[in-house]
């Protein structure tokens, strides 16, 4: 899953085998994106920008905010879980990645004590939070009430 940013739009890629169509998504988009070529729900993963963060988190589906940093080994262990959740819950979950070194203003706003921290938002407000490296089954159990059970977790 590649996420490329162009000014304030994100370019997502359809993960349907044989498709791979690029889908442009504005921060103001409310509904989960679908592939214009095959119609499949597209994993909605964006990187946070200070200028668009509030728009990105105010959407129709739950938003999983992943607070992380490049140097953080536990963050690197959590990333595959987050990416898999985005793919498995395409159409029902949005993932917003927040690199705390690049956009500390957002991290400060959430008064983080450590990373990785996963924050589940609904309607722009925090509904739940999980901190630290976690096993896949614990992550699935934490996320399930918000978006349904993860297949194969």
């Amino acid at each position: 899953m590649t996420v490329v940013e162009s000014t304030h739009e994100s370019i997502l890629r359809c993960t349907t085998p044989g498709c791979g169509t690029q889908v442009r998504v504005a921060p103001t988009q409310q509904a989960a994106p679908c592939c214009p070529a095959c119609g499949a729900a597209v994993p909605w993963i964006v990187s946070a920008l200070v200028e668009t963060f509030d728009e990105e988190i105010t959407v129709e589906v739950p938003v999983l905010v992943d607070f992380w940093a490049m140097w953080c080994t536990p963050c690197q262990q959590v990333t595959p879980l987050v990416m898999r959740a985005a793919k498995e819950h395409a159409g029902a979950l949005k993932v917003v990645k927040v690199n705390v070194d690049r956009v500390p203003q957002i991290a400060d706003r959430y008064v983080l004590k450590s990373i990785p921290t996963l924050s589940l938002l609904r309607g722009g407000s925090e509904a739940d939070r999980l901190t630290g490296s976690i096993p896949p089954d614990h992550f699935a159990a934490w996320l399930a009430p918000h978006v349904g059970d993860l297949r194969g977790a």
Side-chain angles (χ1 to χ4, degrees):
M1 273 171 263
T2 304
V3 179
V4 179
E5 291 194 19
S6 169
T7 312
H8 296 301
E9 282 188 336
S10 293
I11 300 174
L12 311 178
R13 187 171 300 278
C14 181
T15 57
T16 301
C19 186
T21 300
Q22 291 184 349
V23 181
R24 288 185 180 274
V25 180
T28 55
Q29 181 165 327
Q30 290 294 303
C34 290
C35 177
C38 72
V42 175
W44 201 358
I45 307 164
V46 300
S47 294
L49 299 173
V50 171
E51 303 83 11
T52 61
F53 182 75
D54 288 331
E55 294 168 328
E56 295 281 13
I57 64 169
T58 309
V59 296
E60 296 174 357
V61 297
V63 177
L64 179 60
V65 181
D66 179 10
F67 294 97
W68 68 284
M70 291 291 289
W71 50 264
C72 172
T73 301
C75 296
Q76 294 169 13
Q77 295 167 343
V78 169
T79 293
L81 301 177
V82 171
M83 300 306 255
R84 186 173 78 192
K87 185 175 181 182
E88 291 184 358
H89 294 287
L93 179 70
K94 180 176 187 177
V95 171
V96 177
K97 303 277 292 171
V98 176
N99 182 329
V100 298
D101 290 332
R102 291 195 178 168
V103 284
Q105 307 90 320
I106 298 170
D108 291 347
R109 180 170 148 186
Y110 283 83
V111 192
L112 299 183
K113 304 236 187 267
S114 65
I115 55 172
T117 293
L118 301 174
S119 180
L120 199 292
L121 309 179
R122 290 186 174 271
S125 298
E126 189 172 53
D128 207 350
R129 182 182 283 204
L130 186 63
T131 301
S133 183
I134 42 150
D137 57 340
H138 185 212
F139 174 71
W142 175 78
L143 190 60
H146 303 291
V147 295
D149 291 325
L150 285 172
R151 295 179 295 263

